Amino acid sequence: MRLSQLFGKTQREIPSEADTASHQLLLRAGMIMQVAAGVYSYMPLGWRVLKKIENIIREEMDNAGGQELAMPVLQPVELWQQTGRDQSFGKGLFTLLDRRERTLVLGPTHEEVLTQMVSHHVQSYRDLPQLLYQIQTKFRDEPRPRGGLIRVREFIMKDLYSFDVDEDGLEVSYQKMVQAYRNIYDRCALPALFVEADSGAIGGKDSHEFMLIAENGEDEVICCDSCQYATNVDKAVSVKRQIGPEKPLPLEEVATPGMKTIEELANFLNMPKDHTLKAVFYAADGQVVFAMIRGDLDVNEVKLQRLLKCTDLHLATEAEVSAAGISAGYASPMGLKGIKIVADDSVTGGINFVAGGNKPDIHIKNVNYPRDFKADIVADIARVGEGDACPKCGGMLKSMPGIEIGHVFKLGTFLSNALGANFIDEKGDSRPIIMGCYGIGLGRLLAAAVEHYHDDKGIIWPLSIAPYQVYLCPLYREDTNVVEVAERLYRELQSAGLEVLFDDREESPGVKFNDADLLGIPLRVTVSPRTLQNNNVETKWRAEKESQLVLRDEAVAKIKELVKAK
RNA sequence: CGGGGCGUAGCGCAGUCCGGUUAGCGCGCAGCGUUCGGGACGCUGAGGUCGGAGGUUCAAAUCCUCUCGCCCCGACCA
């Protein structure tokens, strides 16, 4: 491709819309353009990268035994009502009316459509297992798109679904996919971390995410510095410190005027925060829930939501709290009636806590569980943080931001039950098909690659997904010898099967080099009067500082070898 | 949905508080010339419904009301 003909220009200035590295660089490189919030066009260079990623994914899916098919974006809402997932997606579903005023949804994912298809075409255990996938556009009306391509409302995703006769079969499919995903990230040169994940209200037992550690990641990964334990923060558990040993003391009221927060209370009473009890109120599907946790810990809402199995969970509003008869800041689990109490298990591992007195400006000392109060549920609902102890080995846990670049789920039979996807087993009994699903967002993977591979000059594409492999860069176009050699090299490199971006523009060396760096083409080949003096051309990897000279006559063979060796 | 910010040429911005020539500057773009190994320079030129609608006024980018869009933080995000 001749750069002079390429659609899309580089931009020197940073677009004001963007503040993550990948967003800025992809815009400046002329690879993408925003159309609406969370909606982007791919320009030729960006689209080439996306295609490369797509091909890698397709090859790995096929290698793993996947069969590609295509399903519609447009889906009848009734299908979603059958599984109840119109509710769980809620406002995230894009819906529209057709001319007959029937509601259609723009597919955010395709379990429903495919499960229905499978239910029609699979009757026997002999028809299973199946691994079916597509690479196609999804629509999700995210509350807040952000970070350029990292979180968008319309995106291309590879989604594969597995259908098996039993749990063992599911396990085999799952492992195949995990391995296929590892191959994909290896080929894209991205060090993805395999972590335990929250499977959400609808998923089955097991779910894992592939995370790329990145400054701009919106997920939080917890991992151990001395063993392999790695998990999404929403799934993380840690070993909680035990408090004590002390003897339980009798209850005692204390005046605590104006002390509403744990911080103030602990200071005022001159005791550590882990000797206080924190009360947090949530509305779970409209019901007020009283969550208790040791004062030095915080509640993880995803864990709480999973525990309560509710679809909506938010901090209760002041109105909701007072309607339940609770005095915020001084609330106590003692003597509360008619409100569900969920206690983090940290309250059972401590002693002589200070808790609210259920009236303004009063707290109660030496509260002990279960002597002084009961809870409806005792479970781990604590947010794990940096420095906590690893549940596997006792080591120190670290917290890092990450980008979710792949997610695999064991779905089980929820959807096959709802949609009647059954098969007849060897004994002639009808059983639901056991499902799994496996997704990778291509655009997000592309953005993640830029987040991982860039410097202050621009993108540094891994060779496997670079839009072009070679940036051919002649300097000083008035020199006919330079032009001639460059033109010939361009043809020869292409004939050798290399993908070449030929900077045939009449620009100064500075402009060309800077554009080459911004675009991030892996290998730069410079031809100039200076190199030709000794019959050389210059090669330089984008990722490296030093350049090398190679003889002009050996250049094509040498460049081919360099690219192949990577 | 709550909080904050922004909308003026393809891009980055000034001008808005305190209304008043022909709405500026830089980059980019076009032409000519000089340059040429890390975003060169000179001259000339094109390019604007000042997000939109309504209002106040002799006069609105600027003041008022409504509205649309975008970004960030939070909520949210099988």
Side-chain angles (χ1 to χ4, degrees):
Chain A
M1 183 72 210
R2 287 174 187 271
L3 200 43
S4 63
Q5 317 283 306
L6 179 73
F7 175 70
K9 281 195 204 328
T10 58
Q11 257 174 242
R12 195 178 304 202
E13 284 175 283
I14 299 169
S16 63
E17 312 288 64
D19 63 4
T20 56
S22 65
H23 194 194
Q24 290 179 355
L25 291 171
L26 289 167
L27 286 170
R28 284 186 54 210
M31 299 203 181
I32 60 170
M33 184 166 169
Q34 185 171 36
V35 177
V39 180
Y40 289 83
S41 296
Y42 286 87
M43 294 162 71
L45 283 179
W47 187 242
R48 282 183 74 95
V49 177
L50 202 85
K51 288 297 214 183
K52 294 229 173 152
I53 292 171
E54 179 181 342
N55 286 337
I56 289 172
I57 292 174
R58 178 175 287 113
E59 281 175 23
E60 294 301 331
M61 289 301 106
D62 290 345
N63 282 343
Q67 298 181 56
E68 188 171 4
L69 45 71
M71 289 178 273
V73 166
L74 225 42
Q75 305 173 5
V77 72
E78 288 79 4
L79 200 47
W80 287 82
Q81 288 162 345
Q82 265 187 67
T83 58
R85 295 212 306 171
D86 57 327
Q87 294 301 315
S88 40
F89 266 94
K91 287 188 172 165
L93 269 190
F94 271 109
T95 58
L96 56 96
L97 293 177
D98 69 10
R99 66 207 302 165
R100 288 175 203 142
E101 310 254 300
R102 292 179 56 100
T103 303
L104 296 167
V105 325
L106 299 179
T109 177
H110 282 72
E111 282 85 359
E112 276 76 1
V113 173
L114 185 55
T115 305
Q116 188 187 48
M117 194 189 313
V118 165
S119 74
H120 281 73
H121 292 273
V122 166
Q123 278 94 37
S124 155
Y125 70 94
R126 295 170 194 268
D127 299 328
L128 296 170
Q130 288 291 347
L131 300 174
L132 303 170
Y133 78 100
Q134 63 174 353
I135 296 170
Q136 188 236 34
T137 304
K138 309 283 188 233
F139 296 84
R140 294 183 191 177
D141 197 358
E142 295 289 345
R144 185 151 92 81
R146 72 187 107 181
L149 254 31
I150 290 178
R151 185 163 213 89
V152 292
R153 298 192 296 167
E154 171 179 337
F155 56 99
I156 300 171
M157 177 171 163
K158 184 287 303 175
D159 44 326
L160 183 142
Y161 308 86
S162 65
F163 300 86
D164 283 283
V165 295
D166 56 20
E167 294 291 334
D168 289 350
L170 174 59
E171 188 58 34
V172 170
S173 296
Y174 198 77
Q175 290 311 325
K176 272 187 191 169
M177 278 303 117
V178 168
Q179 187 55 50
Y181 275 36
R182 290 212 156 104
N183 297 344
I184 290 165
Y185 303 124
D186 280 352
R187 289 179 64 182
C188 296
L190 292 174
L193 224 54
F194 182 65
V195 309
E196 294 175 23
D198 175 46
S199 58
I202 285 168
K205 333 172 248 322
D206 254 346
S207 173
H208 291 89
E209 288 165 329
F210 290 87
M211 291 281 195
L212 185 70
I213 300 308
E215 203 184 320
N216 288 316
E218 48 178 359
D219 281 297
E220 187 179 343
V221 178
I222 299 291
C223 63
C224 178
D225 65 357
S226 49
C227 78
Q228 294 300 307
Y229 183 65
T231 166
N232 188 304
V233 68
D234 294 332
K235 186 79 178 181
V237 292
S238 65
V239 181
K240 287 165 189 156
R241 268 186 346 238
Q242 295 291 308
I243 309 299
E246 294 168 26
K247 283 217 169 106
L249 300 169
L251 292 175
E252 185 186 331
E253 268 193 17
V254 282
T256 51
M259 301 297 135
K260 290 204 165 197
T261 66
I262 292 292
E263 197 75 46
E264 292 165 352
L265 182 68
N267 280 336
F268 180 78
L269 296 174
N270 194 25
M271 52 171 48
K273 285 198 278 185
D274 60 22
H275 272 65
T276 65
L277 283 181
K278 188 186 285 184
V280 195
F281 304 99
Y282 289 94
D285 293 340
Q287 288 279 84
V288 173
V289 170
F290 186 126
M292 307 234 41
I293 194 163
R294 207 172 63 201
D296 58 320
L297 303 173
D298 289 313
V299 173
N300 179 310
E301 295 182 11
V302 174
K303 283 186 176 180
L304 181 59
Q305 181 165 9
R306 194 160 55 217
L307 185 68
L308 295 171
K309 296 186 173 65
C310 57
T311 52
D312 176 62
L313 182 77
H314 60 263
L315 277 176
T317 61
E318 265 178 54
E320 285 168 327
V321 170
S322 47
I326 298 164
S327 175
Y330 299 91
S332 163
M334 286 173 292
L336 261 194
K337 290 245 168 71
I339 290 176
K340 185 180 262 189
I341 298 175
V342 179
D344 182 66
D345 52 17
S346 59
V347 308
T348 66
I351 196 162
N352 296 335
F353 289 115
V354 177
N358 259 345
K359 40 193 168 178
D361 302 331
I362 297 290
H363 279 83
I364 298 174
K365 285 168 81 168
N366 304 328
V367 172
N368 288 292
Y369 178 89
R371 185 189 73 183
D372 304 317
F373 69 96
K374 303 262 185 323
D376 297 291
I377 310 175
V378 177
D380 171 39
I381 54 169
R383 184 170 209 295
V384 172
E386 181 103 18
D388 288 0
C390 173
K392 296 259 160 82
C393 76
M396 174 109 87
L397 295 177
K398 289 179 301 182
S399 159
M400 296 177 292
I403 302 172
E404 180 195 339
I405 53 173
H407 202 156
V408 294
F409 294 85
K410 291 182 183 171
L411 290 175
T413 57
F414 173 82
L415 291 152
S416 38
N417 280 330
L419 294 164
N422 303 313
F423 67 97
I424 306 293
D425 67 15
E426 299 93 318
K427 294 183 196 122
D429 296 331
S430 179
R431 283 158 47 189
I433 301 174
I434 300 189
M435 296 176 55
C437 79
Y438 316 84
I440 294 186
L442 310 213
R444 183 183 281 183
L445 188 61
L446 183 154
V450 178
E451 289 293 334
H452 193 73
Y453 289 112
H454 72 271
D455 61 17
D456 56 340
K457 299 292 252 176
I459 304 170
I460 308 172
W461 291 112
L463 190 63
S464 59
I465 60 173
Y468 289 91
Q469 298 165 326
V470 177
Y471 192 93
L472 178 59
C473 188
L475 302 180
Y476 200 34
R477 285 195 57 85
E478 273 71 24
D479 188 312
T480 52
N481 195 23
V482 168
V483 175
E484 218 170 273
V485 170
E487 288 285 348
R488 191 134 37 92
L489 262 182
Y490 179 47
R491 287 194 302 273
E492 290 170 358
L493 288 168
Q494 283 182 310
S495 303
L498 293 165
E499 297 168 341
V500 186
L501 189 56
F502 181 23
D503 191 349
D504 60 338
R505 300 172 303 170
E506 295 190 33
E507 290 288 353
S508 68
V511 170
K512 291 188 169 193
F513 287 156
N514 278 297
D515 274 344
D517 288 347
L518 175 58
L519 295 177
I521 311 299
L523 187 63
R524 190 181 77 194
V525 177
T526 307
V527 182
S528 72
R530 193 196 284 181
T531 65
L532 289 182
Q533 233 167 32
N534 299 313
N535 264 321
N536 288 325
V537 301
E538 178 195 275
T539 61
K540 179 185 169 298
W541 289 106
R542 172 65 178 88
E544 289 168 17
K545 227 181 144 73
E546 300 305 319
S547 59
Q548 296 74 228
L549 290 172
V550 299
L551 275 174
R552 186 264 163 269
D553 291 338
E554 297 168 6
V556 174
K558 182 71 188 170
I559 291 164
K560 196 173 174 186
E561 192 187 308
L562 281 173
V563 169
K564 243 189 161 170
K566 272 265 157 165

